[in-house]
Amino acid sequence: MGDPIPPKVFANDIGISRGALSRIENERAWPGPETLSRIMDAFEIDWPVVAERGDNPGPHPRTPNTWQEGQQASLCAALRRERRELGWTLAELARRSGLSASQLSRIERGQITRSAVFTWHPEDLNLVKEDRRVIFDHPVLMDVATGRFDLENSAEGWAADV
């Protein structure tokens, strides 16, 4: 290795601010994938030096703490199951719902517990919150999750209320 590189110069070389580099150095932030790649290139290191391959399949779903969280988890699992049954990708559901594919992915995996896509069942509004049922507020998500999305009998694919 040669002479030390001043932090301001190094930050500029890898395309981030000096403040961002400081947060990474002090473990207050993690570099994004592109920044990490540029850091690795600057130091001429490969992935085996940075990380080891594991068998982690990804983040584990949250364990529901309340009855409503359990309902949300069931709704989210039903959304994924029914979307796949329709033969849709996340991109197709995103196109039809107006939500982003990444948000839909997080919803399906149960990683979003507070979102405008969930609401209380209208028949339960007079009950205390702990006794209310949770439903999708978004009509496309609700129809898909409940299996009411009818591709064959509608030009737009909307299901009639059953």
Side-chain angles (χ1 to χ4, degrees), residues 109-130:
R109 289 179 284 138
Q111 294 180 337
I112 294 179
T113 57
R114 297 182 189 261
S115 171
V117 300
F118 299 107
T119 191
W120 302 119
H121 193 288
E123 294 175 3
D124 297 349
L125 296 178
N126 60 334
L127 301 175
V128 294
K129 284 186 179 181
E130 292 77 23

Side-chain angles (χ1 to χ4, degrees), residues 2-74:
D3 294 331
I5 304 170
K8 185 175 181 178
V9 173
F10 182 68
N12 188 56
D13 288 349
I14 61 172
I16 62 175
S17 70
R18 174 63 186 106
L21 179 61
S22 175
R23 287 188 295 279
I24 292 168
E25 289 173 327
N26 293 303
E27 298 180 2
R28 291 192 322 253
W30 289 95
E34 292 177 13
T35 302
L36 180 57
S37 179
R38 289 191 298 267
I39 292 170
M40 290 170 57
D41 289 345
F43 287 111
E44 298 177 352
I45 56 177
D46 293 319
W47 277 109
V49 175
V50 177
E52 66 181 50
R53 184 175 298 278
D55 59 358
N56 185 346
H60 296 285
R62 287 179 10 103
T63 302
N65 293 322
T66 65
W67 180 64
Q68 280 92 1
E69 286 181 6
Q71 287 184 314
Q72 281 181 316
S74 294

